[in-house]
Amino acid sequence: SSGSKDKSILNRDLREKSQFISRYQGHKQEICGLKWSFDDQYLASGGNDNKLMVWSKGNASRPSEPLHKFSSHKAAVKAIAWSPHQSGLLASGGGTADRCIKFWNTKVGVEVNSIDTGF
């Protein structure tokens, strides 16, 4: 998967002849972070629009719609990590105007904690 300045995320499979197998669009600015969950079912994307989005690989009825849109960061979301120990737990970090690490329960779509790093 790759994200770009054109605000889209392209998912590729090198075994396929087509250039990409699916496209996710939802960010209003450049994509600056991507991370697949450990089970390869969910893709988290961060953008310069201060949004964190979670996309479901198995969402066949609405493949281009994000499963969740989180908008509480106050700067670009560049750092994204899925917990290897707890399914559905996602951490994200905002830029210098935000300074927060936020934790999300993606199973129900809620923020569970926010830590101001002070930097």
Side-chain angles (χ1 to χ4, degrees), residues 83-103:
S83 171
H85 305 291
Q86 186 174 337
S87 177
L89 181 62
L90 178 65
S92 61
T96 54
D98 184 70
R99 304 179 329 213
C100 286
I101 299 170
K102 296 184 180 287
F103 297 89

Side-chain angles (χ1 to χ4, degrees), residues 6-112:
D6 74 357
K7 305 171 243 177
S8 66
I9 300 165
L10 297 178
N11 297 306
R12 295 174 168 84
D13 185 340
L14 297 176
R15 299 167 294 189
E16 300 290 326
K17 289 184 180 185
S18 61
Q19 287 189 342
F20 59 92
I21 56 173
S22 62
R23 178 192 308 253
Y24 298 150
Q25 292 183 289
H27 286 279
K28 303 292 185 211
Q29 293 183 25
E30 171 180 11
I31 309 297
C32 50
L34 291 173
K35 187 70 175 179
W36 279 99
S37 60
F38 285 96
D39 63 3
D40 291 326
Q41 295 303 304
Y42 302 96
L43 177 65
S45 64
N48 277 348
D49 57 1
N50 306 349
K51 305 284 188 275
L52 173 69
M53 297 188 190
V54 177
W55 309 85
S56 173
K57 186 178 184 180
N59 189 4
S61 62
R62 300 177 77 103
S64 62
E65 292 286 322
L67 186 61
H68 301 295
K69 282 185 190 181
F70 300 116
S71 57
S72 63
H73 278 293
K74 295 180 179 90
V77 180
K78 297 181 180 183
I80 303 169
W82 291 93
S83 171
H85 305 291
Q86 186 174 337
S87 177
L89 181 62
L90 178 65
S92 61
T96 54
D98 184 70
R99 304 179 329 213
C100 286
I101 299 170
K102 296 184 180 287
F103 297 89
W104 311 91
N105 178 332
T106 62
K107 291 186 183 238
V108 293
V110 297
E111 181 178 332
V112 293

